[in-house]
Amino acid sequence: MEYQYGQNNENGRDQGSNDYIYYNHNFQGNDQIPSPKKRKEKKRTGGMIALCIVLSLVMGTAGGALGSSLVMGQYNKKEAAREAEAETGTKQEKDLSQKTEQFPATQTTQTAAAGLTVKQISEQCMPSVVAITNKGEAEIRSFWGTFIQETEGSGSGVIIGKTDSELLIVTNYHVVSGSKELSVLFSYQEQMEDSSDAEIVRGEIKDYSAAQDLAVIAVDLNSLSQETMDNIKVASIGDSNELALGDQVVAIGNALGYGQSVTTGIVSAVGRSMTTENSVDATGSANRYIQTDAAINPGNSGGALFNMNGELVGINSAKVADTKVEGIGYAIPISDIKGDMERMMQQETRTLVEESERGYLGINVSNVTNEINETYDIPIGAHISSVTENSPAEKAGLQRGMVVTKIDGKPVRTREELIGYLGYYKAGETVNLTVQARTDAGYEEREVPVTLYTAREAGIEQETDQNDAQSQGSQTVPNDQSNPFGGFFPFFNY
């Protein structure tokens, strides 16, 4: 099954939220709680008066008056008691009615407090999402040879921090890989009538991890206007570990390179594995992804996946591209990469050095694949197949058979990562390489500082320097006992 990254290369559903209607019994109606029946009292006043007259005639005026007074007193007491009872019943019915009216209102308030609508999330979170354009070069191999072709791709990013000098943006590694120039466009500028007024700024890769498909880029604050600063915001980071199946989520990104768009869906699954070229780490295990049916299309890569509180819970990465599959997209859980993002944010921002000024190391290296790691127990990294005589590497003590695993503390798992990192160092600078050296007891870690200089300064005459070796194609390592990879394993010279 093919996985399609949400990066756009040149070479229906309503955005409203779900309405939840609560059906409650109406306790005010007569069909639910019958009102107390009021008995129709007969008028007895006339009969009582007649009785008093008769008593007066029989017992005399004084006795009749006394009897009449006693009877009327008893009647008035009974009438007062009936009126009080009727008033109490009416008050209890009124209190019950008031309590019943308040219940639905309270429940509705609690439901609204549980989350925002999709429209509210779009309005509040869109200023945190940016569009990224990557201009670079790609190596094209054909029957007629290998040549370099200029490329341009689009993706997305999320603003996750701001320092005194930089705006920090997280995105996918495959969005920025192979870049010669990165351009950043902020979402509010897409609404401008005249696109020429948009403030497109340059971004620099601060750090990245190809294994996690993760990168952080920096934008110089001096390149931003006050208007831009007033219209952008840093995303609020959530906890992806709290996501559960069926939770609603919102994806925002630069779909198809047309500008920011909003899609919504649910969490279909958590902890999904997806083995791809960029997601497999050094041990061969894949990232654990959030699976969602929110539409994730080319250009959405590096964009944001928000929960219904407007918190960033994932970085959109890829979708399943298959005619038999619909609605399966993947996002990297934010809680899984939060520590790595913070580490990348603290790295020194370096600009890509012109090839004529780049430092020369002087080693031939090859990848240690998972199969080689399992078969020969060789650490994952850039395996040194040979060291050039009189090169900076030889003078620093690097030897054939060592495996480069870090450069200035940043992990190196492939030759491509080593090439990428070295492209940011000038001749004359010193880099600290972490290598695994083979001993009788196994591999041990060593720190080797290497001062770079140009190949010409090393007295080495060659047609291409270390970085041009990427376009030379594969070479063959001699098939001997010191080379565990066999006779057809490719390597490149740095």
Side-chain angles (χ1 to χ4, degrees):
M1 184 173 293
E2 180 186 356
Y3 294 95
Q4 178 178 327
Y5 288 108
Q7 180 181 8
N8 181 54
N9 294 306
E10 290 188 349
N11 307 316
R13 188 171 178 178
D14 189 14
Q15 304 304 322
S17 63
N18 294 329
D19 295 324
Y20 298 91
I21 302 175
Y22 295 89
Y23 294 94
N24 298 304
H25 292 296
N26 182 4
F27 295 118
Q28 301 178 44
N30 292 332
D31 58 336
Q32 300 295 329
I33 300 181
S35 300
K37 294 182 179 179
K38 298 180 181 180
R39 297 177 181 176
K40 187 176 182 181
E41 301 293 340
K42 296 181 180 180
K43 300 294 182 179
R44 303 180 185 180
T45 306
M48 297 304 292
I49 294 175
L51 178 59
C52 291
I53 294 173
V54 173
L55 289 175
S56 297
L57 293 174
V58 175
M59 299 179 66
T61 303
L66 178 60
S68 175
S69 175
L70 292 173
V71 173
M72 290 298 295
Q74 291 295 326
Y75 170 77
N76 291 334
K77 288 181 179 180
K78 291 181 179 180
E79 280 293 304
R82 290 190 187 98
E83 291 176 358
E85 181 180 359
E87 183 178 354
T88 300
T90 303
K91 182 177 181 182
Q92 290 176 345
E93 182 180 2
K94 183 177 180 181
D95 291 342
L96 178 61
S97 174
Q98 291 176 344
K99 291 180 180 179
T100 305
E101 290 175 355
Q102 293 174 356
F103 177 72
T106 302
Q107 187 170 14
T108 302
T109 302
Q110 292 174 347
T111 302
L116 305 173
T117 65
V118 176
K119 181 180 179 181
Q120 289 172 325
I121 291 176
S122 175
E123 294 173 347
Q124 295 182 21
C125 300
M126 186 79 78
S128 302
V129 185
V130 303
I132 299 174
T133 300
N134 176 357
K135 294 182 179 180
E137 294 179 348
E139 180 182 291
I140 307 298
R141 297 182 181 181
S142 68
F143 178 79
W144 294 275
T146 302
F147 59 94
I148 299 298
Q149 181 178 10
E150 292 186 355
T151 63
E152 181 172 320
S154 58
S156 307
V158 187
I159 302 173
I160 55 170
K162 183 173 75 69
T163 67
D164 294 338
S165 59
E166 295 176 329
L167 191 70
L168 303 176
I169 300 168
V170 65
T171 184
N172 285 140
Y173 167 71
H174 72 262
V175 171
V176 299
S177 63
S179 66
K180 295 292 184 181
E181 180 182 344
L182 290 177
S183 300
V184 176
L185 177 67
F186 300 97
S187 57
Y188 85 96
Q189 296 170 336
E190 296 173 355
Q191 312 302 324
M192 293 182 174
E193 295 182 1
D194 186 357
S195 59
S196 62
D197 294 335
E199 185 179 39
I200 301 176
V201 295
R202 183 183 178 92
E204 299 290 348
I205 299 177
K206 198 170 186 67
D207 198 3
Y208 64 86
S209 170
Q212 294 174 292
D213 197 15
L214 184 69
V216 171
I217 66 176
V219 173
D220 189 349
L221 290 184
N222 292 328
S223 65
L224 303 179
S225 66
Q226 187 59 46
E227 179 186 5
T228 297
M229 296 299 298
D230 293 339
N231 283 278
I232 61 177
K233 62 185 293 187
V234 176
S236 175
I237 306 297
D239 186 356
S240 58
N241 293 326
E242 295 182 354
L243 290 177
L245 302 187
D247 283 350
Q248 188 175 6
V249 287
V250 176
I252 302 179
N254 181 26
L256 302 178
Y258 295 154
Q260 304 299 340
S261 62
V262 180
T263 58
T264 183
I266 63 169
V267 175
S268 306
V270 294
R272 287 295 198 209
S273 295
M274 183 186 67
T275 303
T276 67
E277 180 182 354
N278 291 321
S279 66
V280 179
D281 63 19
T283 61
S285 62
N287 290 333
R288 300 295 177 177
Y289 291 87
I290 302 167
Q291 180 181 320
T292 175
D293 67 347
I296 297 176
N297 295 295
N300 274 116
S301 266
L305 189 71
F306 293 104
N307 62 17
M308 298 313 290
N309 293 322
E311 298 170 328
L312 181 68
V313 292
I315 303 298
N316 298 323
S317 181
K319 64 176 291 186
V320 177
D322 194 294
T323 56
K324 298 179 181 178
V325 178
E326 182 177 352
I328 298 182
Y330 294 98
I332 304 173
I334 201 69
S335 298
D336 291 357
I337 57 175
K338 187 175 180 180
D340 296 287
M341 286 195 310
E342 292 174 351
R343 175 184 60 80
M344 292 180 182
M345 292 165 66
Q346 295 171 3
Q347 296 294 322
E348 177 188 0
T349 302
R350 287 180 167 270
T351 59
L352 195 64
V353 178
E354 294 292 333
E355 292 184 2
S356 60
E357 299 178 358
R358 292 181 191 176
Y360 172 74
L361 183 57
I363 58 176
N364 293 324
V365 294
S366 54
N367 285 338
V368 178
T369 64
N370 294 319
E371 293 77 13
I372 293 174
N373 170 258
E374 295 172 359
T375 303
Y376 298 99
D377 195 28
I378 299 176
I380 296 286
H383 179 270
I384 300 178
S385 303
S386 65
V387 178
T388 306
E389 186 177 358
N390 295 325
S391 67
E394 184 187 54
K395 293 182 178 181
L398 294 179
Q399 299 175 2
R400 178 179 182 178
M402 290 181 175
V403 181
V404 181
T405 57
K406 292 181 182 178
I407 177 171
D408 281 344
K410 296 186 282 291
V412 173
R413 294 179 176 87
T414 65
R415 63 173 183 255
E416 290 79 14
E417 281 190 317
L418 183 57
I419 291 174
Y421 285 135
L422 287 173
Y424 290 87
Y425 290 87
K426 292 183 178 181
E429 291 190 273
T430 299
V431 297
N432 293 306
L433 298 181
T434 302
V435 300
Q436 295 288 333
R438 190 172 192 128
T439 66
D440 294 338
Y443 281 90
E444 68 175 16
E445 185 172 280
R446 298 177 185 175
E447 298 293 330
V448 181
V450 183
T451 299
L452 306 175
Y453 45 85
T454 66
R456 190 175 300 278
E457 289 173 338
I460 298 170
E461 297 294 336
Q462 56 181 25
E463 294 182 0
T464 57
D465 61 18
Q466 49 144 342
N467 298 294
D468 289 332
Q470 298 178 69
S471 63
Q472 288 182 318
S474 301
Q475 300 181 29
T476 302
V477 178
N479 188 8
D480 56 27
Q481 293 182 354
S482 64
N483 172 32
F485 303 130
F488 299 97
F489 199 85
F491 70 89
F492 292 88
N493 180 267
Y494 292 82

